Amino acid sequence: MSDKLKNIFSLINRSGRLELQAPQGILLQPISVDFASPAFKYRLRRGGGRSQPLARALGLKHGASPLVLDAAAGLGRDGFIIAALGCRVIMCERAPLIHALLADGLRRALEDDELARTASRIRLCEGDCRILLSSLIGDEMPQVIYLDPMFPHRRKSALVKNEMRVLQAVAGEDSDSTELLDAAAQTGCRRIVCKRPARAAPLGGRRPDFAVKTLRHRFDVYLNSKRD
Ligand SMILES: C[S@@+](CC[C@H](N)C(=O)[O-])C[C@H]1O[C@@H](n2cnc3c(N)ncnc32)[C@H](O)[C@@H]1O
């Protein structure tokens, strides 16, 4: 898709919900962030709690609830699940249109009885997380940094495929994601978790200390031995 087309995606308000719409002539469905959808609520209820792979990768054993920075928040699903596991989460998203969708989804989650408590644990920041990482101090410093940058060759269901295509068209390909991993490592945080497709190479070829695998994904875990 040309840069010119990328720039004419538009945000529309449909019955109180923001939707991101592709330019006319592009066969992509509008997307929005809806943490209250039945499918997502089911995922929250039946995801496996602290025994699920994501929780194990984050190190949530023995009741630990670290402050987690979701450094590539996207549509916020992973970050919201992390908050539902009991962690405080800082979400950071640099693509303004995606940030606007996410802010709208979080605002509506705060109004939903079932989701409000989880949503209240989340703080959303806009901008490049590499800059945020260099400015965090004291209590704001996360113990865990979670990264899920875009990966170009994902095979998903038709719906997610549409979502990923819109996301990629608007946010680009995250070709600088190794720099994000390096910036995260420089903070000296306890643990970095990087989500990758199951068969992809580790980000930037950096070998993780260990990995937690699922059918479709792999969470590469980098430990800071001085802190963990
Ligand atoms: C694959 S999506 C993340 C999906 C997300 N985990 C979810 O559950 O919806 C990657 C997102 O990271 C964002 N991103 C990539 N690098 C970033 C950076 N350095 N700072 C902030 N956001 C970044 C992109 O704009 C994109 O929206």
Side-chain angles (χ1 to χ4, degrees), residues 71-78 93-94 127-129 148 150 167 171 174:
L75 300 173
R77 265 189 286 253
D78 291 336
E93 174 52 50
R94 67 179 168 185
D128 193 315
C129 201
D148 176 22
M150 215 81 77
L167 203 59
D174 292 350

Side-chain angles (χ1 to χ4, degrees), residues 138-151:
D139 287 352
E140 296 173 316
M141 191 55 83
Q143 284 105 43
V144 180
I145 300 178
Y146 178 75
L147 309 173
D148 176 22
M150 215 81 77
F151 188 86

Side-chain angles (χ1 to χ4, degrees), residues 100-196:
L101 283 189
L102 187 48
D104 178 62
L106 288 171
R107 178 188 59 75
R108 281 180 287 106
L110 280 167
E111 291 164 1
D112 182 300
D113 287 347
E114 214 180 309
L115 303 175
R117 196 146 160 248
T118 294
S120 69
R121 293 193 196 107
I122 298 171
R123 181 155 70 87
L124 175 62
C125 301
E126 182 175 6
D128 193 315
C129 201
R130 289 170 297 177
I131 295 168
L132 178 71
L133 283 169
S134 61
S135 67
L136 291 173
I137 43 162
D139 287 352
E140 296 173 316
M141 191 55 83
Q143 284 105 43
V144 180
I145 300 178
Y146 178 75
L147 309 173
D148 176 22
M150 215 81 77
F151 188 86
H153 309 295
R154 291 182 164 185
R155 288 167 57 223
K156 297 249 171 150
S157 72
L159 176 67
V160 180
K161 216 169 169 181
N162 175 74
E163 236 171 37
M164 285 311 295
R165 287 178 62 201
V166 175
L167 203 59
Q168 258 177 27
V170 173
E173 295 219 327
D174 292 350
S175 47
D176 53 2
S177 46
T178 305
E179 290 166 34
L180 185 56
L181 175 60
D182 290 340
Q186 274 162 25
T187 64
C189 71
R190 262 189 223 159
R191 179 183 287 242
I192 300 169
V193 178
C194 185
K195 183 177 178 182
R196 306 290 288 161

Side-chain angles (χ1 to χ4, degrees), residues 195-210:
K195 183 177 178 182
R196 306 290 288 161
R199 279 178 283 281
L203 185 57
R206 313 277 197 281
R207 241 176 75 183
D209 290 286
F210 67 94

Side-chain angles (χ1 to χ4, degrees), residues 6-27:
K6 269 187 204 172
N7 294 335
I8 50 175
F9 272 77
S10 46
L11 284 173
I12 55 164
N13 187 327
R14 193 181 299 281
S15 312
R17 173 196 303 189
L18 271 193
E19 283 187 359
L20 182 59
Q21 204 167 48
Q24 245 188 353
I26 304 283
L27 292 178

